[in-house]
Amino acid sequence: MTPNPRETRTTCPYCGVGCGVIVESDAGRITGVRGDPRHPANFGRLCTKGATLHLTADERTRALHPELRRERSAPRIRAGWDEAMDFAAGKFARAIVEHGPDSVAFYVSGQLLTEDYYVFNKLARALVGTNNIDTNSRLCMSSAVTGYKATLGADAPPACYEDIDHADCIFIAGSNTAYAHPILFRRIEDARARNPYLKLIVVDPRRTDTAAAADLHLAILPGTDVALFNAMLHVLLWEELCDLDYIRDHTEGFDAAKATVSDYTPGAVADICGVPADDIVKAARWFGGARAALSLYCQGLNQSVHGTEKNAALINLHLATGHIGRPGAGPLSLTGQPNAMGGREVGGMATLLSAHRDLSSAADRKEVARFWGVDGFPSTPGKTAVEMFDAVREGSIKAIWIACTNPVQSMPDHIRVVEALERAECVVVQEAFRSAETVSHADILFPASTWAEKDGTVTNSERRISRTCAAVPPPGEARHDWRIAVDFARRLGAKLGRDDVTRLFPYESPEQVFNEHRATTRGRDLDISGLSYALLEARGPQQWPFPEGAETGKSRLYEDGVFATASGRARFARAPHRPLAESTDARYPLHLTTGRLRDQWHGMSRTGNVARLFAHTEEPLLAMNRDDMQRRGLQDGDIVRVKSRRGELSARAQGSDEIRTAQTYLPMHWGGRFMHGGGINSLTLAAFDPVSKQPELKHAAVQVEKLDYRWHVVAMRSGDASRYLDAVRPLLARFPYASCGLSGREVPLLVFRAAADVPAADELIADLDAVLELNDDTCAMDYRDPRRGVSKRVLVQDGKLVGVRLTGETAARDWLNELMAQGASAEAVRRWMLAPVASPPAGKPLRGRIVCNCLDVAEPDIRRRLADGVTLEQIQMELKCGTSCGSCLPELRCMAQQARVAA
Ligand code: SF4
């Protein structure tokens, strides 16, 4: 441990809660992290992901040098920054000159800092003259933007985290907050502990940990949210729970909304939603009868072809009851990414303009053009995420620049994205992690700095702007994202013969960029003219608006009942219930919903490098209702083919009590880096909401079929697990079922699993041994039974077990995994090696799945004690589970509840 580490305040790069993090570093290396007690988003807490951030700071996973391939057929090789930059500028310039500005595009990220975003936005619009700039935030929150604009007039979340403490009804819809925004869920738990009258309602097709904690869980059928919200409004009207004074004084369009919901009786909607009518009535009464009701919602509403209507129908409930603009009351969309909000603020999306200006408004376009000192830019909206990759695929976009995002993993209908990148004339990828799936499609790779190396600002879900400060320098030749964009802009400008490029991009520091962005907000709803780096550093994170002269930002908006519409009144939306983009039928009879896990984040570029984050869920499991499994003759752990109308994948199935029949669930995180094929988005569809252009990533119709693979292989290797993880990747494609990941804690292991109909060829097993360096015969023990296709190989170094490969018979896999993770000596396996059947020795209980990641407490240890009648509190005192970050608390409570029921 470093005696006096340097401490730097920054923020967590994962979810939109935006927790403050103190980074400890020594001699340019990150040595630890802890929650920032002064940060108002988390007051010192971090979840499992945030608390392991220091373990992601591994240079071996990083892109360290620019790389370039001049011909598609050639491999990409190391290049200098100047050479690679000039090449990229030449490619983009040629496309612009020959085919016009809309022949190039920029696809950026909600993980960029606001300053990075600002420069990219200006580069696309002011220099190139295209609106083809969009972001992966399109995939997670653009329906929240359009929902706010349709009803409240501006893209401004009206409530704040503090409202959790003041609400007496919290309505969570389409969000597994306990997993996806854990620190916010801690706050909800605290509020409930303080106020036993606080009602928690959760709307989710699955009984997630969030739903299990609720006073009322409405397990609606996928895609029926609007019907539910309309039925709740119907009950509010019928039972006179609406605030008619508020409606009269501050809203418009109420009569039309009232007419829309007149047919949505609880009885009729119970059939649509698949929930009891009484529960709909109860939810409406709790919501309408509350002193203050707060809604929290996320991808379950947003990732839908009707995302805008889902958002708007929920906001209708707040307008009808006057639950807005007061402490504890209001709709609050949760952002999935750390700085999706910052991107919205600078207008870094194809359909937006700087500082919440509107691309469709000539006056707004003129204002931005004047501000930047350019003649103007086109009024036609740019291509949004799905449209952008489709245009690349069709050839109208020739060159695409992808920054800080991994579309090959994260975009729906994966194969369309891969085809697009293969057909593009030039693909530039600006990325910190060289293992991201998209990197292999790059003609030019620019290594970028990342978390704890960057300097700038981010905005979290409650409009709170924080400074992010660099604790360490970027490794290798990696550069900051804003600087890469500025360098490119200057070179591109020169090639296009622009003499204003230095004036347009004069920046030498992120603060200069921030100050310019700040100036664009003056007089706008998000006015931050009173903020500066100095103020944020001295007084901590601040919410917008924060105009010049203000003492503080605004905790909540619309307190005066004046909204950002032309009339100043909020607008009720007319939102009829509509069907899912894709329905089930005889061929595709099951609903697939997608979502997050507790310990992984998005495409796993970062969390996928931390062994202990696989301890809670080690591979992508298809959760199925047990009746559906029985009907298909499936047992837990069987390998199945999951097939949609677009593609397929193979995964293990697991029975779940969380979902009803005809529904299945897969986590969103696994892509081609960790499993055979393109991952989860091989199944999803690219249909999108006509207003928000957000695709329906949450749902697809699928079929599930058992794969009778009788031959299995498992390989594990300790040592340089990250390197082995990369090395083993090409082999994933050579087995019909394969996945890989990490395991262990102090001793990280690479784990590779595969299966097939028949034993794999010797050559393939030899390749596996070679990439995992298991082929050193001088320190390996071997057992082979070619007749049965069974073999065991164990690698020993310095008396320790460091590698294992089992083929044909893999029953000893978990036992060996635990031995290796403990750094056990080779003696422990000597007798097992000589036995013809590779079963684990009897009487050795396995630790099993880890529930509490911080304190390394396993599920069987907890369940055994609960079965013995020990209370959860006593178990926590003994094992300490759930006493650190608290991310496992919802699960611990579920386990305790299950034990009570069983008893
Ligand atoms: Fe990071 Fe967890 Fe906080 Fe989200 S809740 S910002 S992942 S520490």
Side-chain angles (χ1 to χ4, degrees), residues 406-418 437-438 441 603 620 646-650 666-684 729 732-733 736 738:
N406 189 13
V408 171
Q409 190 280 334
S410 57
M411 287 282 291
D413 201 353
H414 156 265
I415 196 69
R416 273 160 63 147
V417 176
V418 170
E437 284 87 341
T438 307
H441 298 270
R646 292 149 297 282
E648 62 181 55
L649 57 78
S650 47
L666 266 175
M668 63 176 275
H669 309 288
W670 272 262
R673 181 184 171 205
F674 293 98
M675 66 191 293
H676 173 100
I680 173 75
N681 284 315
S682 307
L683 305 172
T684 53
R729 191 157 145 190
L732 293 170

Side-chain angles (χ1 to χ4, degrees), residues 12-19 45-47 49-51 180-184:
C12 174
Y14 294 126
C15 82
V17 177
C19 297
R45 286 168 156 171
L46 294 175
C47 73
K49 298 180 283 279
H181 299 93
I183 295 304
L184 214 56

